[in-house]
């Protein structure tokens, strides 16, 4: 009989390309490796999603450590083929967080928010993905048949998630062909982004055991539906008291919520290259796809970049706990840590500067003339990755939050990724990304 225990521990980082990479060691080495980590190379940060290497300021020089966070360790896989996974932080050999470690950057963003306001983020990632090469059932949007097709792997996936900090809230057959959606339960701080990484790892791993290949890529077909990542945000104080809702305001937003959203919307075009970082991301971010095309706040509107979500609670205490807003402009080509960091930095800036968002929209902004959009403070989000990168490049705010070195390395990384796609048709570009994400 094969043992159900793992022989190896894999230390994982979710990198600039939004992919999970890392190194493994024998389980017996845990005590030593959980402190010292495994060796890591600075230039790895420039490995693109297509495995080419972008211009790197580090060249062949330098050494780092990828150090597992023991709290994240979980076992994955069937008996006989199991492995322990631990999410890690990249550190200097002296133990300092590395400026290009996505998880460390997200932790810093959360710390800055807490230092400013005593606020902890309670958030949940909602992921859409599609099966590749699966027969498509007609008439099955939100369907029972598709749900039943997926039930066996979904139950296996839920059983594996149960060994981790990632707890699913709902699972469903989404609108698109072979498209499914899993929403996580809320978790505080960095754990929520960890859970997004874990969900992507396990979905791929479990479904493959069932002979099913899945893709979280932003869009598989230029004319088809997109696969979004919506991040739901709420806030608590150190005692766990909810801070997001204020029943006395028109849409229920507390001052904290309003200013945080104000910051996110003010800086949204400048952080899009971190939230939706692939060339094909911008096929998804077009009007009438229920994704996000403008920097608008919507009240229960699924075409808004930031949407105030409905709650089912009836009394004030339940409403205050459930009340949340989601940022819909994200996709799974982004490392959850980078998207999360960018949103939290922008929201924190909103609190610092008491930024007011525009009133929530309940109309189709794509019907408005550019002058009217501008006079009401709305902007079309960047329509290509190149435009999004230009906005990032020119953003003093993003350069302050992430540091010039990080922004410059990120720009070089994405330039190389774009070069790999030069001359391809859009469907071919989708095919390249489909395999990767
Ligand atoms: N598929 C849509 C997106 O790309 C989201 C649809 C929905 O769940 O509202 O974000
Ligand atoms: Mg959905």
């Amino acid at each position: 009989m094969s043992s159900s225990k793992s022989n190896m521990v894999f230390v994982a980082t979710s990198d600039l390309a939004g992919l999970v990479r890392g190194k493994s060691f024998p389980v017996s080495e845990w005590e030593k490796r959980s402190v010292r980590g495994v060796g890591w190379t600075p230039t790895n940060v420039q490995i693109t999603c297509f495995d080419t290497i972008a211009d790197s300021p580090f060249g062949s020089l330098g050494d780092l450590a990828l150090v597992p966070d023991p709290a994240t360790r979980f076992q994955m896989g069937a008996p006989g083929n199991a492995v322990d996974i631990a999410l890690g932080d990249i550190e200097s050999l002296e133990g300092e967080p590395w400026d290009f470690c996505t998880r460390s950057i997200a932790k810093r963003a959360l710390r800055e928010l807490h230092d400013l306001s005593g606020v902890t983020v309670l958030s949940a990632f909602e992921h859409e993905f599609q099966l590749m090469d699966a027969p498509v059932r007609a008439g099955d949007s939100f369907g029972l048949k598709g749900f039943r097709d997926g039930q066996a792997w979904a139950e296996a996936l839920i059983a594996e998630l149960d060994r981790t900090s990632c707890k699913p809230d709902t699972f469903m057959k989404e609108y698109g062909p072979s498209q499914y959606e899993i929403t996580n339960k809320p978790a505080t701080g960095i754990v929520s982004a960890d859970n997004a990484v874990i969900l992507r790892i396990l979905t791929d791993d479990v479904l493959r055991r069932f002979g099913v290949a899945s893709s979280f890529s932003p869009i598989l077909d230029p004319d088809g539906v997109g696969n979004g990542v919506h991040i739901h945000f709420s806030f608590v104080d150190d005692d766990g008291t909810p801070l997001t809702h204020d029943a006395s305001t028109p849409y229920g937003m507390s001052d904290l919520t309003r200013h945080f959203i104000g910051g996110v919307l003010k800086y949204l075009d400048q952080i899009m290259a971190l939230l939706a970082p692939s060339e094909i991301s911008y096929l998804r971010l077009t009007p009438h796809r229920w994704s996000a095309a403008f920097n608008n706040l919507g009240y229960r509107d699924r075409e808004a970049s930031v949407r105030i979500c409905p709650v089912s609670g009836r009394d004030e205490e339940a409403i205050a706990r459930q009340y949340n807003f989601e940022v819909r402009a994200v996709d799974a080509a982004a490392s959850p840590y980078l998207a999360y960091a960018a949103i939290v930095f922008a929201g924190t800036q909103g609190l610092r500067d008491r930024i007011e968002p525009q009133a929530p929209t309940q109309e189709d902004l794509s019907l408005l003339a550019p002058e009217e959009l501008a006079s009401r403070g709305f902007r079309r989000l960047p329509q290509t990755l190149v435009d999004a990168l230009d906005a990032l490049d020119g953003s003093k705010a993003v350069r302050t939050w992430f540091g010039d070195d990080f922004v410059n390395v990120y720009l070089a990384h994405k330039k190389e990724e774009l070069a790999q796609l030069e001359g391809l048709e859009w469907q071919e570009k989708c095919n390249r990304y489909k395999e990767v994400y």
Side-chain angles (χ1 to χ4, degrees):
M1 273 233 331
S2 54
S3 154
S4 59
K5 287 256 182 280
S6 313
N7 298 320
M8 307 290 282
V9 182
F10 185 95
V11 195
T13 176
S14 162
D15 67 3
L16 257 56
L19 294 174
V20 172
R21 305 187 209 255
K23 286 188 183 175
S24 70
F25 56 83
V27 161
S28 57
E29 299 284 292
W30 173 256
E31 225 155 281
K32 185 181 88 189
R33 293 284 185 191
S34 62
V35 180
R36 284 199 225 150
V38 293
W40 201 246
T41 307
T43 283
N44 284 4
V45 83
Q46 290 302 59
I47 303 178
T48 70
C49 66
F50 304 123
D51 284 334
T52 57
I53 301 183
D55 268 356
S56 162
F58 314 109
S60 58
L61 300 175
D63 280 293
L64 298 161
L66 173 56
V67 183
D69 177 345
T72 65
R73 183 174 163 188
F74 65 93
Q75 192 184 61
M76 159 172 114
N81 189 28
V83 60
D84 278 19
I85 306 281
L87 305 179
D89 294 307
I90 306 175
E91 299 176 357
S92 68
L93 297 183
E94 293 72 42
E96 293 297 316
W98 191 45
D99 288 349
F100 304 85
C101 168
T102 59
R103 189 168 188 262
S104 304
I105 295 170
K107 286 200 277 192
R108 181 163 59 79
L110 292 163
R111 218 168 32 242
E112 285 183 18
L113 172 63
H114 190 267
D115 288 350
L116 179 77
S117 57
V119 165
T120 295
V121 175
L122 180 66
S123 67
F125 282 65
E126 172 184 336
H127 282 94
E128 293 171 336
F129 59 95
Q130 279 168 286
L131 308 186
M132 297 197 268
D133 314 314
V136 173
R137 284 188 183 266
D140 203 34
S141 296
F142 307 102
L144 173 62
K145 292 177 198 163
F147 165 78
R148 293 284 287 165
D149 290 342
Q151 193 177 344
W153 53 253
E155 285 188 16
L157 175 58
I158 289 167
E160 289 225 13
L161 288 170
D162 208 40
R163 299 186 198 145
T164 76
S165 55
C166 178
K167 309 291 175 201
D169 187 51
T170 53
F171 164 75
M172 68 173 195
K173 170 71 187 62
E174 244 288 0
Y175 169 74
S178 302
Q179 189 180 39
Y180 289 86
E181 178 184 295
I182 299 178
T183 305
N184 290 345
K185 281 196 192 301
T188 49
I190 199 67
V191 179
S192 178
D194 287 343
N195 290 346
V197 176
I198 293 168
L199 182 89
R200 295 179 201 178
I201 293 174
L202 282 178
T203 302
D204 177 75
D205 202 70
V206 172
L207 268 63
R208 273 182 199 284
R209 285 212 305 277
F210 285 78
V212 180
S214 56
S215 180
F216 288 82
S217 177
I219 193 160
L220 303 193
D221 165 356
D223 300 319
V225 298
N227 294 308
V229 174
H230 306 165
I231 311 179
H232 293 256
F233 282 86
S234 57
F235 307 111
V236 290
D237 68 13
D238 288 342
D239 300 323
T241 305
L243 301 172
T244 330
H245 188 246
D246 179 346
S248 70
T249 66
Y251 297 95
M253 288 181 279
S254 64
D255 287 349
L256 166 71
T257 301
R258 213 176 62 252
H259 293 314
F260 188 97
I261 292 174
V264 172
L265 293 174
K266 172 168 177 184
Y267 294 106
L268 191 58
D269 51 354
Q270 300 169 36
I271 59 174
M272 279 311 296
L274 297 159
L275 272 50
S278 74
E279 195 180 2
I280 59 167
S281 295
Y282 296 83
L283 298 175
R284 169 181 165 254
L285 296 169
T286 46
H288 308 143
R289 285 176 179 276
W290 291 28
S291 57
F294 300 90
N295 65 333
N296 64 318
L297 170 62
Y299 185 67
R300 302 183 182 175
D301 173 4
R302 289 184 173 76
E303 283 266 298
S305 300
V306 178
R307 177 177 88 118
I308 300 170
C309 299
V311 288
S312 58
R314 294 286 158 85
D315 57 277
E316 175 49 25
E317 207 202 315
I319 294 171
R321 289 214 169 272
Q322 286 178 9
Y323 187 82
N324 70 90
F325 59 92
E326 61 173 346
V327 180
R328 299 173 64 86
V330 185
D331 67 47
S335 166
Y337 298 125
L338 281 186
Y340 201 44
I343 294 166
V344 172
F345 277 133
T348 303
Q349 194 67 43
L351 292 186
R352 224 177 259 128
D353 299 341
R354 306 188 71 74
I355 298 172
E356 292 292 340
Q358 317 300 332
T361 51
Q362 287 175 325
E363 65 192 297
D364 183 352
L365 294 188
S366 72
L367 300 176
L368 302 188
E371 310 76 60
E372 189 172 359
L373 275 175
S375 73
R376 290 173 52 187
F378 295 120
R379 283 191 304 279
R380 179 76 172 83
L381 296 178
Q383 297 188 48
T384 64
L385 179 58
V386 171
D387 287 352
L389 291 168
D390 283 348
L392 181 79
D393 192 4
S395 172
K396 256 206 189 123
V398 179
R399 286 181 174 277
T400 307
W401 306 330
F402 283 84
D404 273 324
D405 291 346
F406 178 89
V407 171
N408 294 339
V409 158
Y410 190 79
L411 291 168
H413 182 119
K414 288 290 152 182
K415 197 171 149 201
E416 164 60 24
E417 178 180 326
L418 283 165
Q420 290 302 312
L421 299 166
E422 242 169 60
L424 298 184
E425 299 290 336
W426 282 108
Q427 183 60 64
E428 291 172 317
K429 292 179 185 186
C430 289
N431 294 347
R432 294 290 307 275
Y433 281 112
K434 176 170 86 168
E435 301 300 328
V436 168
Y437 296 107

